[in-house]
Amino acid sequence: MAALLLLSGCSGRLDNDSIVHTRSPLKPAEVLQTDVDRMATLAMRNNLNSLYRLMNKLYQRNPREWRKNSLPDAAAAERAIQYAIEHNQDWPTLGGRRDVAALDYSLSPGFQGDRVAAFTYAIGSMLVTAHGGRTEFYLTDSFNAQFIHNAARNLEKAGWMLSQRRDAMGRPLLLSNEFTEQGNNLSYAVEFGKMVARLDLLTHVLEERYRRMGANYAQSLFLLNFLPVQ
């Protein structure tokens, strides 16, 4: 038993060492970030990566969608969508709609364009809008915890819409989660769950930061001490 405990302890240290020694190098711009700024930046990057994985999965199950574009393949469509999201550009088939307006329109029966592209762009633009129009955050930036909380709830609704919206024939507008006798594919729901969890965590961190700012100020008044002058 002692040997097993020793081995498990060594394993834990090795895992920790691997994490420490494989960390990415510090970038100069990170000096201008607080811990919360850095957390928000990483959460945004990971949420966009989850969204892009979701887009890739949707194109695999719905190849007819990317063929609605004048692009050679699904990979080209994915690159175009990513560029539009990260460079704050409109998506052509959405008629200037963004975030929640685009989200509802992308899964409406009357939409005729690439639904995967429109759905992905709508979620991406909603995430960026909820974070004040930015994907990286620094000391001069501020957050609205309520908007980020709302974005998490919108993602939950978007996941439900994706699985429930159907055309006039009763067919899903987009194929996603799959339930068969051979097994279930819930990878789409998993990506939604990851994004929601990150947003909720960031919301709690922001709320705690503002709460602690008030508490720290009160403590500074209560524990006021004069400073030595010699």
Side-chain angles (χ1 to χ4, degrees):
M1 179 64 73
L4 288 173
L5 289 174
L6 180 61
L7 287 173
S8 64
C10 292
S11 175
R13 286 195 294 274
L14 287 174
D15 290 342
N16 182 68
D17 289 343
S18 67
I19 293 172
V20 171
H21 291 105
T22 57
R23 63 188 178 188
S24 58
L26 183 68
K27 298 178 181 178
E30 292 179 34
V31 177
L32 302 176
Q33 293 178 318
T34 65
D35 290 344
V36 175
D37 294 329
R38 186 61 185 160
M39 176 186 172
T41 298
L42 293 174
M44 174 62 81
R45 183 186 70 187
N46 290 336
N47 276 339
L48 288 178
N49 286 338
S50 284
L51 178 61
Y52 299 152
R53 283 193 294 272
L54 181 65
M55 171 175 58
N56 179 266
K57 292 174 182 292
L58 286 171
Y59 271 139
Q60 289 182 31
R61 292 213 66 195
N62 303 271
R64 67 182 184 278
E65 297 300 324
W66 70 260
R67 295 190 177 100
K68 296 177 181 178
N69 303 299
S70 58
L71 296 169
D73 51 34
E78 291 177 23
R79 289 192 297 269
I81 298 161
Q82 291 180 30
Y83 188 89
I85 292 172
E86 297 177 22
H87 291 81
N88 197 31
Q89 295 183 350
D90 289 338
W91 189 250
T93 58
L94 287 171
R97 297 176 182 85
R98 296 191 179 198
D99 47 76
V100 291
L103 188 54
D104 188 61
Y105 182 56
S106 67
L107 291 181
S108 66
F111 182 76
Q112 300 299 317
D114 179 348
R115 287 190 188 278
V116 173
F119 183 69
T120 304
Y121 173 85
I123 292 177
S125 66
M126 181 192 68
L127 290 174
V128 174
T129 299
H131 289 76
R134 297 176 299 275
T135 57
E136 295 184 345
F137 310 96
Y138 299 93
L139 288 166
T140 55
D141 297 324
S142 60
F143 301 91
N144 188 310
Q146 185 63 55
F147 290 155
I148 296 173
H149 170 82
N150 292 348
R153 307 290 74 78
N154 289 340
L155 277 177
E156 290 174 338
K157 183 177 180 180
W160 179 86
M161 289 168 58
L162 179 63
S163 64
Q164 297 297 318
R165 289 282 177 94
R166 283 167 165 70
D167 62 16
M169 303 296 293
R171 298 168 299 192
L173 293 177
L174 287 175
L175 296 174
S176 56
N177 295 319
E178 186 177 24
F179 302 89
T180 65
E181 294 181 357
Q182 290 72 32
N184 300 328
N185 176 9
L186 298 175
S187 59
Y188 302 84
V190 168
E191 294 300 341
F192 274 109
K194 290 178 182 178
M195 291 188 283
V196 169
R198 293 186 194 109
L199 291 174
D200 280 339
L201 177 59
L202 180 57
T203 299
H204 295 319
V205 169
L206 291 173
E207 290 174 343
E208 180 65 13
R209 180 178 71 169
Y210 296 134
R211 190 182 71 85
R212 290 306 307 169
M213 286 173 62
N216 292 340
Y217 178 72
Q219 289 173 355
S220 69
L221 294 177
F222 182 72
L223 301 174
L224 180 63
N225 294 316
F226 291 112
L227 300 176
V229 295
Q230 65 176 7

